[in-house]
Amino acid sequence: MTDSHALAAAGRALFKELTEAGRPVVGVGIGEGLIYLRVTAPDHGAPDNYNGYPVVVFGEDGARRH
């Protein structure tokens, strides 16, 4: 598996994990070695890193959160 595929798999897994836990995560993206999450509330529960990839969280207003 290439690095980009591993990053995509990690992004999908994190999104699934958080949404199944009822967290307010509404979108996921990847790029440049980062996982990006879009959330609707501050209690998103996203980690700083997931499977070795940094996680960047954005609120509905586009502002970076964490």
Side-chain angles (χ1 to χ4, degrees):
M1 185 181 311
T2 66
D3 236 11
S4 63
H5 288 116
L7 175 59
R12 286 190 301 271
L14 177 59
F15 180 77
K16 182 179 179 188
E17 184 179 307
L18 292 172
T19 55
E20 286 180 352
R23 298 298 188 160
V25 179
V26 295
V28 64
I30 59 166
E32 299 181 11
L34 301 170
I35 298 172
Y36 297 96
L37 294 175
R38 168 101 36 208
V39 300
T40 59
D43 61 340
H44 51 76
D48 291 332
N49 282 284
Y50 187 80
N51 287 352
Y53 297 105
V55 177
V56 179
V57 179
F58 291 97
E60 286 186 302
D61 58 0
R64 197 173 185 154
R65 305 267 189 252
H66 229 296

Short mmCIF file of all heavy atoms in Angstrom, two decimals:
data_model
loop_
_atom_site.label_atom_id
_atom_site.label_comp_id
_atom_site.label_asym_id
_atom_site.label_seq_id
_atom_site.Cartn_x
_atom_site.Cartn_y
_atom_site.Cartn_z
N MET A 1 0.86 -1.18 0.00
CA MET A 1 0.00 0.00 0.00
C MET A 1 0.90 1.23 0.00
O MET A 1 1.84 1.32 0.78
CB MET A 1 -0.89 -0.04 1.23
CG MET A 1 -1.90 1.07 1.27
SD MET A 1 -2.99 1.12 2.71
CE MET A 1 -3.60 -0.52 2.85
N THR A 2 0.59 2.18 -0.85
CA THR A 2 1.39 3.40 -0.89
C THR A 2 1.01 4.30 0.27
O THR A 2 -0.01 4.11 0.92
CB THR A 2 1.18 4.16 -2.21
OG1 THR A 2 -0.17 4.63 -2.25
CG2 THR A 2 1.47 3.29 -3.41
N ASP A 3 1.84 5.30 0.51
CA ASP A 3 1.59 6.24 1.60
C ASP A 3 0.24 6.94 1.45
O ASP A 3 -0.47 7.13 2.42
CB ASP A 3 2.71 7.27 1.65
CG ASP A 3 3.38 7.32 3.00
OD1 ASP A 3 3.14 6.42 3.82
OD2 ASP A 3 4.14 8.27 3.23
N SER A 4 -0.11 7.35 0.21
CA SER A 4 -1.37 8.06 0.02
C SER A 4 -2.56 7.15 0.30
O SER A 4 -3.58 7.60 0.83
CB SER A 4 -1.46 8.65 -1.38
OG SER A 4 -1.44 7.63 -2.36
N HIS A 5 -2.43 5.87 -0.06
CA HIS A 5 -3.52 4.94 0.25
C HIS A 5 -3.66 4.71 1.75
O HIS A 5 -4.77 4.59 2.27
CB HIS A 5 -3.32 3.61 -0.47
CG HIS A 5 -3.55 3.70 -1.94
ND1 HIS A 5 -2.54 3.49 -2.85
CD2 HIS A 5 -4.65 4.01 -2.65
CE1 HIS A 5 -3.02 3.64 -4.05
NE2 HIS A 5 -4.29 3.98 -3.97
N ALA A 6 -2.53 4.65 2.44
CA ALA A 6 -2.56 4.48 3.90
C ALA A 6 -3.19 5.70 4.56
O ALA A 6 -3.97 5.57 5.51
CB ALA A 6 -1.15 4.24 4.44
N LEU A 7 -2.87 6.88 4.06
CA LEU A 7 -3.45 8.11 4.59
C LEU A 7 -4.96 8.14 4.34
O LEU A 7 -5.74 8.47 5.24
CB LEU A 7 -2.79 9.34 3.95
CG LEU A 7 -3.35 10.70 4.31
CD1 LEU A 7 -3.28 10.95 5.80
CD2 LEU A 7 -2.60 11.79 3.55
N ALA A 8 -5.39 7.76 3.15
CA ALA A 8 -6.82 7.72 2.84
C ALA A 8 -7.54 6.71 3.73
O ALA A 8 -8.62 6.99 4.25
CB ALA A 8 -7.02 7.36 1.37
N ALA A 9 -6.94 5.56 3.93
CA ALA A 9 -7.54 4.54 4.79
C ALA A 9 -7.65 5.04 6.23
O ALA A 9 -8.67 4.83 6.90
CB ALA A 9 -6.73 3.25 4.74
N ALA A 10 -6.63 5.74 6.70
CA ALA A 10 -6.66 6.29 8.06
C ALA A 10 -7.75 7.35 8.19
O ALA A 10 -8.48 7.39 9.19
CB ALA A 10 -5.30 6.87 8.44
N GLY A 11 -7.88 8.20 7.18
CA GLY A 11 -8.93 9.23 7.20
C GLY A 11 -10.32 8.62 7.25
O GLY A 11 -11.17 9.04 8.04
N ARG A 12 -10.55 7.62 6.41
CA ARG A 12 -11.87 6.95 6.40
C ARG A 12 -12.14 6.26 7.73
O ARG A 12 -13.25 6.33 8.26
CB ARG A 12 -11.95 5.93 5.25
CG ARG A 12 -12.09 6.56 3.89
CD ARG A 12 -12.41 5.52 2.83
NE ARG A 12 -11.39 4.48 2.73
CZ ARG A 12 -10.31 4.54 1.94
NH1 ARG A 12 -10.11 5.61 1.18
NH2 ARG A 12 -9.45 3.55 1.91
N ALA A 13 -11.13 5.59 8.28
CA ALA A 13 -11.30 4.87 9.54
C ALA A 13 -11.60 5.84 10.69
O ALA A 13 -12.47 5.56 11.52
CB ALA A 13 -10.05 4.05 9.85
N LEU A 14 -10.90 6.96 10.74
CA LEU A 14 -11.14 7.94 11.80
C LEU A 14 -12.55 8.52 11.67
O LEU A 14 -13.26 8.64 12.67
CB LEU A 14 -10.10 9.06 11.75
CG LEU A 14 -10.29 10.18 12.77
CD1 LEU A 14 -10.28 9.64 14.21
CD2 LEU A 14 -9.21 11.24 12.59
N PHE A 15 -12.95 8.88 10.47
CA PHE A 15 -14.30 9.40 10.24
C PHE A 15 -15.35 8.40 10.71
O PHE A 15 -16.28 8.75 11.44
CB PHE A 15 -14.50 9.74 8.76
CG PHE A 15 -15.86 10.30 8.46
CD1 PHE A 15 -16.17 11.61 8.77
CD2 PHE A 15 -16.83 9.51 7.88
CE1 PHE A 15 -17.43 12.13 8.50
CE2 PHE A 15 -18.10 10.02 7.60
CZ PHE A 15 -18.40 11.33 7.92
N LYS A 16 -15.19 7.15 10.32
CA LYS A 16 -16.14 6.10 10.71
C LYS A 16 -16.17 5.92 12.22
O LYS A 16 -17.24 5.84 12.83
CB LYS A 16 -15.77 4.78 10.02
CG LYS A 16 -16.71 3.66 10.34
CD LYS A 16 -16.34 2.38 9.62
CE LYS A 16 -17.32 1.29 9.99
NZ LYS A 16 -16.92 0.00 9.49
N GLU A 17 -14.99 5.88 12.84
CA GLU A 17 -14.89 5.71 14.29
C GLU A 17 -15.62 6.83 15.03
O GLU A 17 -16.38 6.58 15.97
CB GLU A 17 -13.41 5.67 14.66
CG GLU A 17 -13.12 5.41 16.11
CD GLU A 17 -11.62 5.36 16.36
OE1 GLU A 17 -10.91 4.60 15.68
OE2 GLU A 17 -11.16 6.10 17.25
N LEU A 18 -15.39 8.07 14.61
CA LEU A 18 -16.00 9.20 15.29
C LEU A 18 -17.51 9.29 15.05
O LEU A 18 -18.27 9.56 15.97
CB LEU A 18 -15.32 10.50 14.87
CG LEU A 18 -13.87 10.66 15.35
CD1 LEU A 18 -13.23 11.88 14.71
CD2 LEU A 18 -13.79 10.73 16.86
N THR A 19 -17.95 9.05 13.81
CA THR A 19 -19.38 9.13 13.53
C THR A 19 -20.14 8.00 14.21
O THR A 19 -21.24 8.22 14.71
CB THR A 19 -19.68 9.15 12.02
OG1 THR A 19 -19.09 8.03 11.39
CG2 THR A 19 -19.18 10.43 11.38
N GLU A 20 -19.56 6.82 14.25
CA GLU A 20 -20.22 5.70 14.95
C GLU A 20 -20.31 5.95 16.45
O GLU A 20 -21.20 5.42 17.11
CB GLU A 20 -19.51 4.39 14.65
CG GLU A 20 -19.78 3.88 13.25
CD GLU A 20 -19.07 2.58 12.92
OE1 GLU A 20 -18.24 2.11 13.74
OE2 GLU A 20 -19.36 2.03 11.85
N ALA A 21 -19.41 6.76 16.97
CA ALA A 21 -19.44 7.12 18.40
C ALA A 21 -20.38 8.30 18.66
O ALA A 21 -20.49 8.76 19.79
CB ALA A 21 -18.03 7.46 18.87
N GLY A 22 -21.04 8.78 17.59
CA GLY A 22 -21.99 9.87 17.75
C GLY A 22 -21.37 11.25 17.82
O GLY A 22 -22.02 12.21 18.24
N ARG A 23 -20.12 11.37 17.41
CA ARG A 23 -19.44 12.67 17.44
C ARG A 23 -19.92 13.54 16.28
O ARG A 23 -20.30 13.04 15.23
CB ARG A 23 -17.93 12.49 17.36
CG ARG A 23 -17.36 11.71 18.52
CD ARG A 23 -17.58 12.43 19.83
NE ARG A 23 -16.87 11.77 20.90
CZ ARG A 23 -16.57 12.34 22.03
NH1 ARG A 23 -16.93 13.57 22.27
NH2 ARG A 23 -15.93 11.68 22.95
N PRO A 24 -19.86 14.87 16.42
CA PRO A 24 -20.38 15.78 15.41
C PRO A 24 -19.41 16.04 14.25
O PRO A 24 -19.07 17.17 13.93
CB PRO A 24 -20.64 17.06 16.21
CG PRO A 24 -19.56 17.04 17.24
CD PRO A 24 -19.44 15.57 17.63
N VAL A 25 -18.96 14.98 13.62
CA VAL A 25 -18.04 15.08 12.49
C VAL A 25 -18.85 14.92 11.21
O VAL A 25 -19.58 13.94 11.05
CB VAL A 25 -16.94 14.00 12.57
CG1 VAL A 25 -16.00 14.09 11.39
CG2 VAL A 25 -16.17 14.14 13.87
N VAL A 26 -18.73 15.88 10.29
CA VAL A 26 -19.56 15.86 9.08
C VAL A 26 -18.76 15.71 7.79
O VAL A 26 -19.34 15.55 6.72
CB VAL A 26 -20.46 17.11 8.99
CG1 VAL A 26 -21.47 17.11 10.12
CG2 VAL A 26 -19.63 18.38 9.00
N GLY A 27 -17.44 15.76 7.87
CA GLY A 27 -16.65 15.62 6.66
C GLY A 27 -15.22 15.27 6.97
O GLY A 27 -14.71 15.52 8.06
N VAL A 28 -14.57 14.64 5.99
CA VAL A 28 -13.17 14.25 6.13
C VAL A 28 -12.46 14.50 4.81
O VAL A 28 -13.07 14.40 3.73
CB VAL A 28 -13.03 12.77 6.57
CG1 VAL A 28 -13.57 11.83 5.51
CG2 VAL A 28 -11.60 12.41 6.91
N GLY A 29 -11.21 14.87 4.90
CA GLY A 29 -10.38 15.05 3.72
C GLY A 29 -8.95 14.71 4.06
O GLY A 29 -8.60 14.57 5.23
N ILE A 30 -8.13 14.54 3.04
CA ILE A 30 -6.71 14.25 3.26
C ILE A 30 -5.88 15.10 2.32
O ILE A 30 -6.37 15.55 1.28
CB ILE A 30 -6.39 12.76 3.04
CG1 ILE A 30 -6.75 12.34 1.61
CG2 ILE A 30 -7.09 11.88 4.07
CD1 ILE A 30 -6.17 11.00 1.20
N GLY A 31 -4.65 15.30 2.68
CA GLY A 31 -3.73 16.03 1.81
C GLY A 31 -2.44 16.36 2.51
O GLY A 31 -2.45 16.65 3.71
N GLU A 32 -1.35 16.28 1.78
CA GLU A 32 -0.03 16.64 2.28
C GLU A 32 0.29 15.95 3.61
O GLU A 32 0.86 16.55 4.52
CB GLU A 32 0.10 18.15 2.40
CG GLU A 32 -0.05 18.85 1.06
CD GLU A 32 0.11 20.35 1.15
OE1 GLU A 32 0.54 20.85 2.22
OE2 GLU A 32 -0.20 21.02 0.16
N GLY A 33 -0.12 14.70 3.75
CA GLY A 33 0.19 13.94 4.95
C GLY A 33 -0.67 14.26 6.15
O GLY A 33 -0.35 13.86 7.27
N LEU A 34 -1.78 14.97 5.94
CA LEU A 34 -2.67 15.37 7.03
C LEU A 34 -4.08 14.82 6.81
O LEU A 34 -4.52 14.65 5.68
CB LEU A 34 -2.77 16.90 7.12
CG LEU A 34 -1.48 17.67 7.33
CD1 LEU A 34 -1.72 19.15 7.14
CD2 LEU A 34 -0.94 17.40 8.71
N ILE A 35 -4.78 14.58 7.92
CA ILE A 35 -6.20 14.25 7.89
C ILE A 35 -6.95 15.50 8.32
O ILE A 35 -6.64 16.08 9.36
CB ILE A 35 -6.53 13.09 8.85
CG1 ILE A 35 -5.79 11.82 8.44
CG2 ILE A 35 -8.04 12.84 8.88
CD1 ILE A 35 -5.91 10.68 9.45
N TYR A 36 -7.91 15.93 7.51
CA TYR A 36 -8.73 17.10 7.82
C TYR A 36 -10.14 16.66 8.19
O TYR A 36 -10.73 15.84 7.49
CB TYR A 36 -8.81 18.03 6.60
CG TYR A 36 -7.49 18.58 6.18
CD1 TYR A 36 -6.75 17.98 5.17
CD2 TYR A 36 -6.96 19.71 6.80
CE1 TYR A 36 -5.53 18.49 4.78
CE2 TYR A 36 -5.74 20.23 6.42
CZ TYR A 36 -5.02 19.61 5.41
OH TYR A 36 -3.81 20.11 5.02
N LEU A 37 -10.66 17.19 9.28
CA LEU A 37 -12.03 16.89 9.69
C LEU A 37 -12.84 18.18 9.77
O LEU A 37 -12.34 19.20 10.23
CB LEU A 37 -12.06 16.22 11.07
CG LEU A 37 -11.44 14.84 11.19
CD1 LEU A 37 -11.46 14.40 12.65
CD2 LEU A 37 -12.18 13.83 10.33
N ARG A 38 -14.08 18.11 9.34
CA ARG A 38 -15.03 19.22 9.50
C ARG A 38 -15.99 18.79 10.61
O ARG A 38 -16.55 17.70 10.55
CB ARG A 38 -15.78 19.50 8.21
CG ARG A 38 -16.94 20.42 8.36
CD ARG A 38 -16.77 21.84 7.96
NE ARG A 38 -15.94 22.12 6.83
CZ ARG A 38 -15.29 23.27 6.70
NH1 ARG A 38 -15.39 24.19 7.64
NH2 ARG A 38 -14.57 23.51 5.66
N VAL A 39 -16.17 19.64 11.62
CA VAL A 39 -17.03 19.32 12.76
C VAL A 39 -18.09 20.41 12.94
O VAL A 39 -17.92 21.53 12.47
CB VAL A 39 -16.21 19.17 14.06
CG1 VAL A 39 -15.19 18.06 13.94
CG2 VAL A 39 -15.55 20.46 14.47
N THR A 40 -19.17 20.05 13.64
CA THR A 40 -20.25 21.01 13.88
C THR A 40 -20.35 21.44 15.33
O THR A 40 -21.19 22.27 15.66
CB THR A 40 -21.61 20.41 13.45
OG1 THR A 40 -21.85 19.21 14.19
CG2 THR A 40 -21.64 20.12 11.96
N ALA A 41 -19.52 20.89 16.19
CA ALA A 41 -19.55 21.25 17.61
C ALA A 41 -18.16 21.03 18.21
O ALA A 41 -17.37 20.24 17.68
CB ALA A 41 -20.58 20.41 18.35
N PRO A 42 -17.85 21.71 19.29
CA PRO A 42 -16.52 21.59 19.88
C PRO A 42 -16.23 20.25 20.55
O PRO A 42 -15.07 19.93 20.79
CB PRO A 42 -16.48 22.73 20.90
CG PRO A 42 -17.88 23.11 21.15
CD PRO A 42 -18.66 22.73 19.94
N ASP A 43 -17.23 19.44 20.81
CA ASP A 43 -17.01 18.15 21.49
C ASP A 43 -16.79 17.02 20.47
O ASP A 43 -17.33 15.94 20.60
CB ASP A 43 -18.16 17.82 22.42
CG ASP A 43 -19.49 17.69 21.70
OD1 ASP A 43 -19.61 18.21 20.57
OD2 ASP A 43 -20.40 17.05 22.25
N HIS A 44 -15.93 17.27 19.49
CA HIS A 44 -15.71 16.33 18.38
C HIS A 44 -14.94 15.09 18.76
O HIS A 44 -15.09 14.05 18.15
CB HIS A 44 -15.02 17.03 17.21
CG HIS A 44 -13.80 17.77 17.62
ND1 HIS A 44 -12.61 17.14 17.90
CD2 HIS A 44 -13.58 19.09 17.80
CE1 HIS A 44 -11.71 18.05 18.22
NE2 HIS A 44 -12.28 19.25 18.17
N GLY A 45 -14.09 15.16 19.77
CA GLY A 45 -13.36 14.00 20.23
C GLY A 45 -12.23 13.55 19.31
O GLY A 45 -11.70 12.45 19.47
N ALA A 46 -11.85 14.36 18.34
CA ALA A 46 -10.78 13.98 17.42
C ALA A 46 -9.42 14.03 18.11
O ALA A 46 -9.13 14.96 18.86
CB ALA A 46 -10.77 14.90 16.21
N PRO A 47 -8.58 13.05 17.85
CA PRO A 47 -7.23 13.06 18.43
C PRO A 47 -6.32 14.02 17.66
O PRO A 47 -6.64 14.45 16.55
CB PRO A 47 -6.77 11.61 18.22
CG PRO A 47 -7.48 11.18 16.97
CD PRO A 47 -8.83 11.86 17.02
N ASP A 48 -5.18 14.34 18.25
CA ASP A 48 -4.19 15.17 17.56
C ASP A 48 -3.53 14.40 16.42
O ASP A 48 -3.13 14.98 15.42
CB ASP A 48 -3.12 15.66 18.52
CG ASP A 48 -3.66 16.66 19.52
OD1 ASP A 48 -4.64 17.37 19.19
OD2 ASP A 48 -3.09 16.75 20.63
N ASN A 49 -3.38 13.09 16.60
CA ASN A 49 -2.78 12.21 15.60
C ASN A 49 -3.60 10.94 15.52
O ASN A 49 -4.15 10.49 16.53
CB ASN A 49 -1.35 11.84 15.99
CG ASN A 49 -0.38 12.94 15.68
OD1 ASN A 49 -0.02 13.14 14.53
ND2 ASN A 49 0.04 13.66 16.70
N TYR A 50 -3.65 10.37 14.33
CA TYR A 50 -4.37 9.11 14.13
C TYR A 50 -3.54 8.24 13.21
O TYR A 50 -3.22 8.65 12.09
CB TYR A 50 -5.76 9.37 13.54
CG TYR A 50 -6.62 8.13 13.47
CD1 TYR A 50 -7.29 7.67 14.61
CD2 TYR A 50 -6.75 7.41 12.29
CE1 TYR A 50 -8.07 6.54 14.57
CE2 TYR A 50 -7.54 6.27 12.25
CZ TYR A 50 -8.20 5.84 13.38
OH TYR A 50 -8.97 4.70 13.34
N ASN A 51 -3.15 7.08 13.69
CA ASN A 51 -2.29 6.15 12.92
C ASN A 51 -1.04 6.83 12.38
O ASN A 51 -0.60 6.55 11.27
CB ASN A 51 -3.07 5.50 11.78
CG ASN A 51 -4.07 4.47 12.26
OD1 ASN A 51 -4.09 4.12 13.43
ND2 ASN A 51 -4.90 4.01 11.37
N GLY A 52 -0.50 7.76 13.16
CA GLY A 52 0.73 8.43 12.77
C GLY A 52 0.55 9.65 11.89
O GLY A 52 1.53 10.27 11.49
N TYR A 53 -0.70 10.02 11.58
CA TYR A 53 -0.97 11.19 10.75
C TYR A 53 -1.56 12.31 11.59
O TYR A 53 -2.50 12.07 12.36
CB TYR A 53 -1.95 10.84 9.62
CG TYR A 53 -1.41 9.80 8.68
CD1 TYR A 53 -1.87 8.50 8.74
CD2 TYR A 53 -0.45 10.12 7.73
CE1 TYR A 53 -1.38 7.53 7.87
CE2 TYR A 53 0.05 9.17 6.87
CZ TYR A 53 -0.41 7.87 6.94
OH TYR A 53 0.08 6.92 6.09
N PRO A 54 -1.06 13.53 11.45
CA PRO A 54 -1.63 14.67 12.17
C PRO A 54 -3.08 14.92 11.73
O PRO A 54 -3.41 14.75 10.56
CB PRO A 54 -0.75 15.85 11.78
CG PRO A 54 0.52 15.23 11.28
CD PRO A 54 0.13 13.92 10.68
N VAL A 55 -3.92 15.31 12.68
CA VAL A 55 -5.33 15.59 12.41
C VAL A 55 -5.57 17.08 12.59
O VAL A 55 -5.22 17.65 13.61
CB VAL A 55 -6.25 14.79 13.36
CG1 VAL A 55 -7.71 15.13 13.13
CG2 VAL A 55 -6.02 13.28 13.18
N VAL A 56 -6.17 17.70 11.57
CA VAL A 56 -6.53 19.12 11.59
C VAL A 56 -8.05 19.20 11.60
O VAL A 56 -8.71 18.58 10.78
CB VAL A 56 -5.96 19.86 10.36
CG1 VAL A 56 -6.35 21.33 10.40
CG2 VAL A 56 -4.45 19.69 10.29
N VAL A 57 -8.59 19.96 12.55
CA VAL A 57 -10.05 20.05 12.72
C VAL A 57 -10.52 21.46 12.37
O VAL A 57 -9.94 22.44 12.83
CB VAL A 57 -10.45 19.69 14.17
CG1 VAL A 57 -11.95 19.81 14.36
CG2 VAL A 57 -9.97 18.29 14.53
N PHE A 58 -11.58 21.54 11.57
CA PHE A 58 -12.18 22.81 11.19
C PHE A 58 -13.64 22.84 11.61
O PHE A 58 -14.34 21.84 11.47
CB PHE A 58 -12.12 23.03 9.66
CG PHE A 58 -10.73 23.24 9.16
CD1 PHE A 58 -10.01 22.21 8.64
CD2 PHE A 58 -10.16 24.52 9.20
CE1 PHE A 58 -8.72 22.41 8.17
CE2 PHE A 58 -8.88 24.72 8.74
CZ PHE A 58 -8.16 23.66 8.22
N GLY A 59 -14.08 23.98 12.13
CA GLY A 59 -15.47 24.18 12.48
C GLY A 59 -16.29 24.54 11.25
O GLY A 59 -15.75 24.70 10.15
N GLU A 60 -17.58 24.72 11.43
CA GLU A 60 -18.47 25.05 10.32
C GLU A 60 -18.13 26.40 9.68
O GLU A 60 -18.36 26.61 8.50
CB GLU A 60 -19.92 25.07 10.78
CG GLU A 60 -20.49 23.70 11.02
CD GLU A 60 -21.96 23.75 11.33
OE1 GLU A 60 -22.33 24.42 12.32
OE2 GLU A 60 -22.73 23.12 10.61
N ASP A 61 -17.55 27.29 10.48
CA ASP A 61 -17.18 28.60 9.96
C ASP A 61 -15.83 28.59 9.24
O ASP A 61 -15.38 29.62 8.76
CB ASP A 61 -17.15 29.62 11.09
CG ASP A 61 -16.18 29.23 12.21
OD1 ASP A 61 -15.53 28.17 12.11
OD2 ASP A 61 -16.09 29.99 13.18
N GLY A 62 -15.21 27.43 9.15
CA GLY A 62 -13.94 27.31 8.47
C GLY A 62 -12.74 27.59 9.36
O GLY A 62 -11.60 27.46 8.92
N ALA A 63 -12.98 27.97 10.61
CA ALA A 63 -11.88 28.25 11.53
C ALA A 63 -11.27 26.97 12.05
O ALA A 63 -11.97 26.00 12.33
CB ALA A 63 -12.38 29.09 12.70
N ARG A 64 -9.98 26.98 12.17
CA ARG A 64 -9.26 25.82 12.69
C ARG A 64 -9.57 25.62 14.16
O ARG A 64 -9.56 26.57 14.94
CB ARG A 64 -7.78 26.04 12.46
CG ARG A 64 -6.96 24.81 12.57
CD ARG A 64 -5.54 25.11 12.14
NE ARG A 64 -4.79 23.91 12.13
CZ ARG A 64 -3.74 23.70 11.38
NH1 ARG A 64 -3.30 24.65 10.58
NH2 ARG A 64 -3.09 22.58 11.43
N ARG A 65 -9.83 24.41 14.55
CA ARG A 65 -10.19 24.08 15.95
C ARG A 65 -9.20 23.08 16.53
O ARG A 65 -8.50 22.40 15.81
CB ARG A 65 -11.57 23.44 16.00
CG ARG A 65 -12.66 24.23 15.36
CD ARG A 65 -13.34 25.10 16.41
NE ARG A 65 -14.52 25.71 15.87
CZ ARG A 65 -14.61 27.00 15.59
NH1 ARG A 65 -13.60 27.78 15.78
NH2 ARG A 65 -15.73 27.50 15.13
N HIS A 66 -9.21 22.97 17.83
CA HIS A 66 -8.60 21.87 18.60
C HIS A 66 -8.29 22.29 19.95
O HIS A 66 -8.69 23.02 20.65
CB HIS A 66 -7.35 21.30 17.98
CG HIS A 66 -7.40 19.80 17.94
ND1 HIS A 66 -7.43 19.02 19.05
CD2 HIS A 66 -7.48 18.96 16.90
CE1 HIS A 66 -7.50 17.75 18.69
NE2 HIS A 66 -7.53 17.70 17.38
#
